Short mmCIF file of all heavy atoms in Angstrom, two decimals:
data_model
loop_
_atom_site.label_atom_id
_atom_site.label_comp_id
_atom_site.label_asym_id
_atom_site.label_seq_id
_atom_site.Cartn_x
_atom_site.Cartn_y
_atom_site.Cartn_z
N ALA A 724 -10.77 4.99 10.90
CA ALA A 724 -9.48 5.06 11.59
C ALA A 724 -8.44 5.74 10.69
O ALA A 724 -7.62 6.53 11.17
CB ALA A 724 -9.02 3.66 11.98
N SER A 725 -8.50 5.46 9.39
CA SER A 725 -7.52 6.07 8.48
C SER A 725 -7.77 7.57 8.34
O SER A 725 -6.83 8.35 8.20
CB SER A 725 -7.51 5.36 7.12
OG SER A 725 -8.62 5.73 6.37
N LEU A 726 -9.04 7.99 8.42
CA LEU A 726 -9.33 9.43 8.35
C LEU A 726 -8.81 10.15 9.60
O LEU A 726 -8.34 11.30 9.52
CB LEU A 726 -10.84 9.67 8.17
CG LEU A 726 -11.41 9.18 6.83
CD1 LEU A 726 -12.91 9.37 6.77
CD2 LEU A 726 -10.73 9.88 5.64
N GLU A 727 -8.82 9.45 10.74
CA GLU A 727 -8.24 10.05 11.97
C GLU A 727 -6.72 10.21 11.81
O GLU A 727 -6.15 11.22 12.21
CB GLU A 727 -8.54 9.17 13.19
CG GLU A 727 -9.96 9.31 13.66
CD GLU A 727 -10.29 8.40 14.85
OE1 GLU A 727 -9.36 7.92 15.53
OE2 GLU A 727 -11.49 8.18 15.08
N ARG A 728 -6.08 9.19 11.20
CA ARG A 728 -4.62 9.31 10.99
C ARG A 728 -4.32 10.46 10.02
O ARG A 728 -3.35 11.20 10.21
CB ARG A 728 -4.05 8.00 10.42
CG ARG A 728 -3.96 6.88 11.46
CD ARG A 728 -3.10 5.73 10.95
NE ARG A 728 -3.70 5.04 9.82
CZ ARG A 728 -4.63 4.09 9.92
NH1 ARG A 728 -5.05 3.70 11.11
NH2 ARG A 728 -5.13 3.51 8.85
N ALA A 729 -5.18 10.62 9.02
CA ALA A 729 -4.96 11.72 8.06
C ALA A 729 -5.09 13.07 8.76
O ALA A 729 -4.29 13.98 8.54
CB ALA A 729 -5.95 11.61 6.90
N ALA A 730 -6.10 13.18 9.66
CA ALA A 730 -6.29 14.45 10.38
C ALA A 730 -5.09 14.74 11.27
O ALA A 730 -4.69 15.90 11.45
CB ALA A 730 -7.58 14.38 11.20
N ALA A 731 -4.48 13.67 11.81
CA ALA A 731 -3.31 13.83 12.69
C ALA A 731 -2.02 13.99 11.88
O ALA A 731 -0.96 14.29 12.44
CB ALA A 731 -3.20 12.64 13.62
N GLY A 732 -2.10 13.73 10.58
CA GLY A 732 -0.93 13.86 9.71
C GLY A 732 0.01 12.67 9.78
O GLY A 732 1.15 12.74 9.31
N THR A 733 -0.45 11.55 10.33
CA THR A 733 0.45 10.39 10.50
C THR A 733 0.27 9.31 9.43
O THR A 733 1.06 8.36 9.38
CB THR A 733 0.26 9.76 11.89
OG1 THR A 733 -1.11 9.36 12.02
CG2 THR A 733 0.61 10.74 12.99
N GLY A 734 -0.76 9.43 8.60
CA GLY A 734 -0.97 8.42 7.56
C GLY A 734 -2.03 8.91 6.59
O GLY A 734 -2.93 9.67 6.97
N PHE A 735 -1.90 8.50 5.33
CA PHE A 735 -2.83 8.96 4.30
C PHE A 735 -3.21 7.77 3.43
O PHE A 735 -2.34 7.14 2.81
CB PHE A 735 -2.20 10.08 3.46
CG PHE A 735 -1.83 11.28 4.30
CD1 PHE A 735 -0.56 11.38 4.86
CD2 PHE A 735 -2.77 12.26 4.58
CE1 PHE A 735 -0.22 12.47 5.67
CE2 PHE A 735 -2.44 13.36 5.38
CZ PHE A 735 -1.17 13.45 5.92
N SER A 736 -4.51 7.44 3.40
CA SER A 736 -4.97 6.28 2.64
C SER A 736 -5.71 6.75 1.39
O SER A 736 -6.54 7.67 1.46
CB SER A 736 -5.92 5.44 3.50
OG SER A 736 -5.20 4.88 4.56
N TYR A 737 -5.43 6.08 0.30
CA TYR A 737 -6.02 6.43 -0.99
C TYR A 737 -6.72 5.22 -1.58
O TYR A 737 -6.26 4.08 -1.39
CB TYR A 737 -4.93 6.88 -1.98
CG TYR A 737 -4.29 8.19 -1.59
CD1 TYR A 737 -3.27 8.24 -0.66
CD2 TYR A 737 -4.73 9.38 -2.16
CE1 TYR A 737 -2.69 9.44 -0.28
CE2 TYR A 737 -4.16 10.59 -1.80
CZ TYR A 737 -3.15 10.62 -0.86
OH TYR A 737 -2.60 11.81 -0.50
N SER A 738 -7.79 5.49 -2.30
CA SER A 738 -8.36 4.45 -3.15
C SER A 738 -7.71 4.57 -4.52
O SER A 738 -7.46 5.69 -5.00
CB SER A 738 -9.88 4.60 -3.28
OG SER A 738 -10.49 4.15 -2.09
N ILE A 739 -7.42 3.42 -5.12
CA ILE A 739 -6.94 3.40 -6.50
C ILE A 739 -8.19 3.26 -7.37
O ILE A 739 -9.02 2.37 -7.12
CB ILE A 739 -5.98 2.23 -6.76
CG1 ILE A 739 -4.83 2.23 -5.74
CG2 ILE A 739 -5.45 2.29 -8.19
CD1 ILE A 739 -3.96 0.97 -5.82
N THR A 740 -8.33 4.14 -8.36
CA THR A 740 -9.52 4.07 -9.21
C THR A 740 -9.11 3.93 -10.68
O THR A 740 -8.01 4.32 -11.08
CB THR A 740 -10.37 5.36 -9.06
OG1 THR A 740 -9.57 6.49 -9.41
CG2 THR A 740 -10.90 5.52 -7.65
N ASP A 741 -10.02 3.32 -11.43
CA ASP A 741 -9.88 3.26 -12.88
C ASP A 741 -11.16 3.86 -13.45
O ASP A 741 -12.25 3.25 -13.29
CB ASP A 741 -9.69 1.80 -13.34
CG ASP A 741 -9.40 1.73 -14.83
OD1 ASP A 741 -9.28 2.79 -15.47
OD2 ASP A 741 -9.28 0.61 -15.35
N ASP A 742 -11.05 5.05 -14.02
CA ASP A 742 -12.26 5.77 -14.47
C ASP A 742 -13.31 5.80 -13.36
O ASP A 742 -14.48 5.42 -13.58
CB ASP A 742 -12.83 5.12 -15.74
CG ASP A 742 -11.88 5.28 -16.91
OD1 ASP A 742 -11.01 6.19 -16.86
OD2 ASP A 742 -11.97 4.48 -17.85
N ASP A 743 -12.89 6.19 -12.16
CA ASP A 743 -13.77 6.39 -11.00
C ASP A 743 -14.25 5.11 -10.32
O ASP A 743 -14.94 5.15 -9.31
CB ASP A 743 -15.00 7.26 -11.35
CG ASP A 743 -14.57 8.69 -11.69
OD1 ASP A 743 -13.50 9.11 -11.22
OD2 ASP A 743 -15.31 9.35 -12.44
N ARG A 744 -13.91 3.95 -10.88
CA ARG A 744 -14.27 2.68 -10.25
C ARG A 744 -13.14 2.29 -9.30
O ARG A 744 -11.98 2.33 -9.69
CB ARG A 744 -14.37 1.64 -11.38
CG ARG A 744 -15.15 0.40 -11.13
CD ARG A 744 -15.38 -0.28 -12.49
NE ARG A 744 -14.21 -0.24 -13.36
CZ ARG A 744 -13.25 -1.16 -13.40
NH1 ARG A 744 -13.32 -2.24 -12.63
NH2 ARG A 744 -12.22 -1.05 -14.22
N VAL A 745 -13.47 1.93 -8.03
CA VAL A 745 -12.42 1.53 -7.09
C VAL A 745 -11.86 0.17 -7.51
O VAL A 745 -12.62 -0.79 -7.72
CB VAL A 745 -12.98 1.45 -5.65
CG1 VAL A 745 -11.90 0.95 -4.69
CG2 VAL A 745 -13.49 2.81 -5.19
N VAL A 746 -10.51 0.10 -7.64
CA VAL A 746 -9.88 -1.16 -8.05
C VAL A 746 -8.80 -1.61 -7.05
O VAL A 746 -8.16 -2.64 -7.25
CB VAL A 746 -9.28 -1.08 -9.47
CG1 VAL A 746 -10.38 -0.91 -10.51
CG2 VAL A 746 -8.26 0.05 -9.60
N GLY A 747 -8.59 -0.81 -5.99
CA GLY A 747 -7.58 -1.19 -5.01
C GLY A 747 -7.33 -0.05 -4.04
O GLY A 747 -8.11 0.92 -3.99
N GLY A 748 -6.27 -0.19 -3.27
CA GLY A 748 -5.95 0.86 -2.29
C GLY A 748 -4.46 0.98 -2.10
O GLY A 748 -3.69 0.04 -2.34
N ILE A 749 -4.04 2.17 -1.71
CA ILE A 749 -2.62 2.40 -1.40
C ILE A 749 -2.56 3.36 -0.22
O ILE A 749 -3.32 4.34 -0.17
CB ILE A 749 -1.83 2.91 -2.62
CG1 ILE A 749 -0.33 3.02 -2.30
CG2 ILE A 749 -2.36 4.24 -3.15
CD1 ILE A 749 0.57 3.07 -3.54
N ALA A 750 -1.69 3.06 0.75
CA ALA A 750 -1.60 3.88 1.96
C ALA A 750 -0.18 4.36 2.17
O ALA A 750 0.79 3.62 1.94
CB ALA A 750 -2.07 3.09 3.17
N LEU A 751 -0.07 5.60 2.59
CA LEU A 751 1.21 6.15 3.06
C LEU A 751 1.14 6.04 4.58
O LEU A 751 0.45 6.82 5.24
CB LEU A 751 1.38 7.60 2.62
CG LEU A 751 1.70 7.88 1.16
CD1 LEU A 751 0.58 7.47 0.23
CD2 LEU A 751 2.02 9.36 0.95
N ASN A 752 1.81 5.03 5.13
CA ASN A 752 1.74 4.75 6.56
C ASN A 752 2.94 5.34 7.28
O ASN A 752 3.98 5.59 6.67
CB ASN A 752 1.71 3.24 6.80
CG ASN A 752 0.46 2.60 6.23
OD1 ASN A 752 -0.65 3.07 6.44
ND2 ASN A 752 0.64 1.51 5.49
N THR A 753 2.80 5.48 8.59
CA THR A 753 3.91 5.89 9.46
C THR A 753 4.62 7.12 8.89
O THR A 753 5.83 7.12 8.68
CB THR A 753 4.93 4.73 9.65
OG1 THR A 753 4.23 3.49 9.64
CG2 THR A 753 5.67 4.86 10.97
N VAL A 754 3.82 8.14 8.64
CA VAL A 754 4.39 9.37 8.08
C VAL A 754 5.08 10.15 9.19
O VAL A 754 4.47 10.45 10.22
CB VAL A 754 3.28 10.24 7.43
CG1 VAL A 754 3.84 11.59 6.97
CG2 VAL A 754 2.64 9.50 6.27
N VAL A 755 6.35 10.44 9.01
CA VAL A 755 7.12 11.27 9.96
C VAL A 755 7.68 12.45 9.17
O VAL A 755 8.36 12.25 8.17
CB VAL A 755 8.27 10.47 10.62
CG1 VAL A 755 9.05 11.38 11.58
CG2 VAL A 755 7.73 9.26 11.36
N ARG A 756 7.37 13.67 9.64
CA ARG A 756 7.88 14.88 8.98
C ARG A 756 8.70 15.68 9.98
O ARG A 756 8.30 16.76 10.40
CB ARG A 756 6.73 15.70 8.42
CG ARG A 756 6.18 15.09 7.14
CD ARG A 756 5.18 15.98 6.45
NE ARG A 756 3.85 15.78 6.99
CZ ARG A 756 2.77 16.38 6.52
NH1 ARG A 756 2.87 17.23 5.53
NH2 ARG A 756 1.59 16.14 7.05
N GLY A 757 9.80 15.11 10.42
CA GLY A 757 10.64 15.77 11.40
C GLY A 757 11.81 16.47 10.75
O GLY A 757 12.00 16.40 9.54
N PRO A 758 12.63 17.14 11.56
CA PRO A 758 13.79 17.84 11.00
C PRO A 758 14.88 16.90 10.52
O PRO A 758 15.66 17.25 9.63
CB PRO A 758 14.28 18.70 12.18
CG PRO A 758 13.72 18.08 13.40
CD PRO A 758 12.46 17.38 13.00
N TYR A 759 14.92 15.67 11.09
CA TYR A 759 16.03 14.77 10.76
C TYR A 759 15.56 13.46 10.14
O TYR A 759 16.38 12.60 9.81
CB TYR A 759 16.85 14.46 12.03
CG TYR A 759 17.23 15.73 12.76
CD1 TYR A 759 16.74 15.99 14.03
CD2 TYR A 759 18.04 16.68 12.15
CE1 TYR A 759 17.06 17.16 14.69
CE2 TYR A 759 18.37 17.86 12.80
CZ TYR A 759 17.87 18.09 14.06
OH TYR A 759 18.17 19.26 14.70
N PHE A 760 14.25 13.26 10.01
CA PHE A 760 13.70 12.04 9.42
C PHE A 760 12.39 12.42 8.76
O PHE A 760 11.49 12.94 9.42
CB PHE A 760 13.47 11.00 10.54
CG PHE A 760 13.05 9.64 10.05
CD1 PHE A 760 13.85 8.89 9.21
CD2 PHE A 760 11.84 9.09 10.47
CE1 PHE A 760 13.48 7.63 8.78
CE2 PHE A 760 11.45 7.82 10.06
CZ PHE A 760 12.28 7.09 9.22
N ARG A 761 12.31 12.20 7.45
CA ARG A 761 11.08 12.55 6.72
C ARG A 761 10.74 11.39 5.82
O ARG A 761 11.25 11.28 4.70
CB ARG A 761 11.28 13.81 5.88
CG ARG A 761 11.34 15.05 6.71
CD ARG A 761 11.39 16.28 5.87
NE ARG A 761 12.23 17.25 6.55
CZ ARG A 761 12.71 18.35 6.00
NH1 ARG A 761 12.44 18.62 4.75
NH2 ARG A 761 13.47 19.16 6.69
N SER A 762 9.90 10.51 6.34
CA SER A 762 9.75 9.22 5.69
C SER A 762 8.33 8.69 5.86
O SER A 762 7.58 9.13 6.74
CB SER A 762 10.76 8.26 6.36
OG SER A 762 10.72 6.99 5.77
N CYS A 763 7.95 7.75 4.99
CA CYS A 763 6.71 7.01 5.19
C CYS A 763 6.90 5.62 4.60
O CYS A 763 7.95 5.32 4.00
CB CYS A 763 5.52 7.69 4.52
SG CYS A 763 5.48 7.53 2.73
N SER A 764 5.92 4.78 4.82
CA SER A 764 5.98 3.41 4.32
C SER A 764 4.72 3.13 3.50
O SER A 764 3.61 3.41 3.96
CB SER A 764 6.09 2.47 5.52
OG SER A 764 5.92 1.16 5.10
N PHE A 765 4.89 2.58 2.30
CA PHE A 765 3.75 2.29 1.42
C PHE A 765 3.18 0.90 1.70
O PHE A 765 3.93 -0.07 1.89
CB PHE A 765 4.20 2.28 -0.05
CG PHE A 765 4.30 3.63 -0.70
CD1 PHE A 765 4.07 4.81 0.00
CD2 PHE A 765 4.65 3.73 -2.04
CE1 PHE A 765 4.17 6.05 -0.62
CE2 PHE A 765 4.76 4.96 -2.67
CZ PHE A 765 4.53 6.12 -1.97
N GLY A 766 1.87 0.80 1.66
CA GLY A 766 1.20 -0.50 1.62
C GLY A 766 0.14 -0.42 0.53
O GLY A 766 -0.49 0.63 0.36
N TYR A 767 -0.04 -1.49 -0.24
CA TYR A 767 -0.99 -1.41 -1.36
C TYR A 767 -1.55 -2.78 -1.71
O TYR A 767 -0.99 -3.82 -1.36
CB TYR A 767 -0.32 -0.79 -2.60
CG TYR A 767 1.06 -1.32 -2.89
CD1 TYR A 767 1.25 -2.49 -3.59
CD2 TYR A 767 2.19 -0.65 -2.42
CE1 TYR A 767 2.52 -2.99 -3.83
CE2 TYR A 767 3.46 -1.13 -2.65
CZ TYR A 767 3.62 -2.30 -3.36
OH TYR A 767 4.88 -2.81 -3.59
N TRP A 768 -2.70 -2.75 -2.37
CA TRP A 768 -3.32 -3.98 -2.88
C TRP A 768 -4.14 -3.61 -4.12
O TRP A 768 -4.57 -2.47 -4.29
CB TRP A 768 -4.22 -4.62 -1.82
CG TRP A 768 -5.40 -3.77 -1.45
CD1 TRP A 768 -5.40 -2.72 -0.56
CD2 TRP A 768 -6.73 -3.84 -1.98
NE1 TRP A 768 -6.65 -2.14 -0.51
CE2 TRP A 768 -7.50 -2.81 -1.36
CE3 TRP A 768 -7.36 -4.67 -2.91
CZ2 TRP A 768 -8.84 -2.60 -1.65
CZ3 TRP A 768 -8.71 -4.47 -3.19
CH2 TRP A 768 -9.43 -3.44 -2.56
N VAL A 769 -4.31 -4.60 -4.97
CA VAL A 769 -5.12 -4.42 -6.18
C VAL A 769 -6.08 -5.60 -6.26
O VAL A 769 -5.72 -6.74 -5.93
CB VAL A 769 -4.21 -4.35 -7.43
CG1 VAL A 769 -4.99 -4.49 -8.72
CG2 VAL A 769 -3.43 -3.03 -7.44
N ALA A 770 -7.31 -5.34 -6.67
CA ALA A 770 -8.32 -6.41 -6.78
C ALA A 770 -7.82 -7.52 -7.70
O ALA A 770 -7.15 -7.25 -8.70
CB ALA A 770 -9.62 -5.83 -7.34
N ARG A 771 -8.16 -8.75 -7.32
CA ARG A 771 -7.72 -9.89 -8.14
C ARG A 771 -8.10 -9.72 -9.61
O ARG A 771 -7.30 -9.97 -10.51
CB ARG A 771 -8.36 -11.18 -7.60
CG ARG A 771 -7.87 -12.38 -8.33
CD ARG A 771 -8.71 -13.66 -8.26
NE ARG A 771 -9.57 -13.84 -7.16
CZ ARG A 771 -9.56 -14.91 -6.37
NH1 ARG A 771 -8.65 -15.84 -6.55
NH2 ARG A 771 -10.45 -15.03 -5.41
N SER A 772 -9.33 -9.24 -9.84
CA SER A 772 -9.83 -9.12 -11.21
C SER A 772 -9.11 -8.02 -12.01
O SER A 772 -9.29 -7.92 -13.22
CB SER A 772 -11.33 -8.82 -11.18
OG SER A 772 -11.58 -7.73 -10.32
N GLU A 773 -8.32 -7.18 -11.33
CA GLU A 773 -7.65 -6.05 -12.00
C GLU A 773 -6.14 -6.24 -12.06
O GLU A 773 -5.41 -5.36 -12.55
CB GLU A 773 -7.94 -4.74 -11.25
CG GLU A 773 -9.40 -4.46 -11.01
CD GLU A 773 -10.14 -4.05 -12.27
OE1 GLU A 773 -9.46 -3.64 -13.24
OE2 GLU A 773 -11.38 -4.16 -12.29
N ALA A 774 -5.64 -7.37 -11.54
CA ALA A 774 -4.20 -7.54 -11.37
C ALA A 774 -3.50 -7.81 -12.71
O ALA A 774 -4.13 -8.27 -13.67
CB ALA A 774 -3.92 -8.68 -10.40
N GLY A 775 -2.20 -7.50 -12.74
CA GLY A 775 -1.37 -7.86 -13.88
C GLY A 775 -1.48 -6.96 -15.07
O GLY A 775 -1.05 -7.30 -16.18
N ARG A 776 -2.04 -5.77 -14.90
CA ARG A 776 -2.12 -4.82 -16.04
C ARG A 776 -1.57 -3.44 -15.67
O ARG A 776 -1.95 -2.43 -16.24
CB ARG A 776 -3.54 -4.73 -16.60
CG ARG A 776 -4.57 -4.25 -15.61
CD ARG A 776 -5.96 -4.23 -16.25
NE ARG A 776 -6.94 -3.58 -15.40
CZ ARG A 776 -7.23 -2.30 -15.45
NH1 ARG A 776 -6.63 -1.51 -16.30
NH2 ARG A 776 -8.15 -1.77 -14.64
N GLY A 777 -0.67 -3.42 -14.67
CA GLY A 777 0.04 -2.19 -14.37
C GLY A 777 -0.63 -1.25 -13.39
O GLY A 777 -0.17 -0.12 -13.20
N VAL A 778 -1.72 -1.70 -12.76
CA VAL A 778 -2.46 -0.80 -11.85
C VAL A 778 -1.57 -0.40 -10.66
O VAL A 778 -1.45 0.80 -10.33
CB VAL A 778 -3.76 -1.47 -11.34
CG1 VAL A 778 -4.41 -0.63 -10.25
CG2 VAL A 778 -4.73 -1.68 -12.50
N ALA A 779 -0.93 -1.38 -10.00
CA ALA A 779 -0.12 -1.05 -8.82
C ALA A 779 1.09 -0.21 -9.21
O ALA A 779 1.47 0.72 -8.49
CB ALA A 779 0.32 -2.33 -8.11
N THR A 780 1.68 -0.51 -10.35
CA THR A 780 2.85 0.26 -10.79
C THR A 780 2.49 1.74 -10.93
O THR A 780 3.22 2.62 -10.48
CB THR A 780 3.37 -0.29 -12.14
OG1 THR A 780 3.78 -1.65 -11.92
CG2 THR A 780 4.54 0.51 -12.67
N GLU A 781 1.33 2.00 -11.53
CA GLU A 781 0.90 3.39 -11.71
C GLU A 781 0.50 4.02 -10.37
O GLU A 781 0.84 5.18 -10.09
CB GLU A 781 -0.27 3.44 -12.71
CG GLU A 781 -0.86 4.81 -12.96
CD GLU A 781 0.12 5.82 -13.58
OE1 GLU A 781 1.26 5.46 -13.91
OE2 GLU A 781 -0.28 7.00 -13.71
N ALA A 782 -0.17 3.26 -9.50
CA ALA A 782 -0.59 3.81 -8.20
C ALA A 782 0.62 4.17 -7.34
O ALA A 782 0.64 5.21 -6.68
CB ALA A 782 -1.48 2.79 -7.47
N VAL A 783 1.66 3.33 -7.38
CA VAL A 783 2.87 3.63 -6.60
C VAL A 783 3.54 4.88 -7.17
O VAL A 783 4.02 5.74 -6.42
CB VAL A 783 3.83 2.41 -6.58
CG1 VAL A 783 5.21 2.80 -6.06
CG2 VAL A 783 3.23 1.30 -5.72
N ARG A 784 3.54 5.01 -8.49
CA ARG A 784 4.12 6.22 -9.09
C ARG A 784 3.38 7.47 -8.61
O ARG A 784 3.99 8.47 -8.22
CB ARG A 784 4.05 6.12 -10.63
CG ARG A 784 4.82 7.20 -11.36
CD ARG A 784 4.63 7.10 -12.87
NE ARG A 784 3.29 7.52 -13.31
CZ ARG A 784 2.88 8.77 -13.41
NH1 ARG A 784 3.71 9.77 -13.11
NH2 ARG A 784 1.64 9.06 -13.81
#
Side-chain angles (χ1 to χ4, degrees):
S725 75
L726 294 176
E727 284 178 18
R728 286 193 294 277
T733 58
F735 300 91
S736 294
Y737 292 83
S738 284
I739 307 171
T740 58
D741 186 4
D742 294 339
D743 294 335
R744 200 166 41 90
V745 176
V746 294
I749 185 161
L751 286 65
N752 296 312
T753 326
V754 174
V755 179
R756 283 189 274 184
Y759 310 115
F760 186 60
R761 286 186 216 167
S762 182
C763 74
S764 170
F765 278 2
Y767 44 84
W768 65 278
V769 166
R771 184 200 336 235
S772 51
E773 308 287 341
R776 60 182 189 91
V778 172
T780 298
E781 178 62 4
V783 167
R784 190 184 72 77

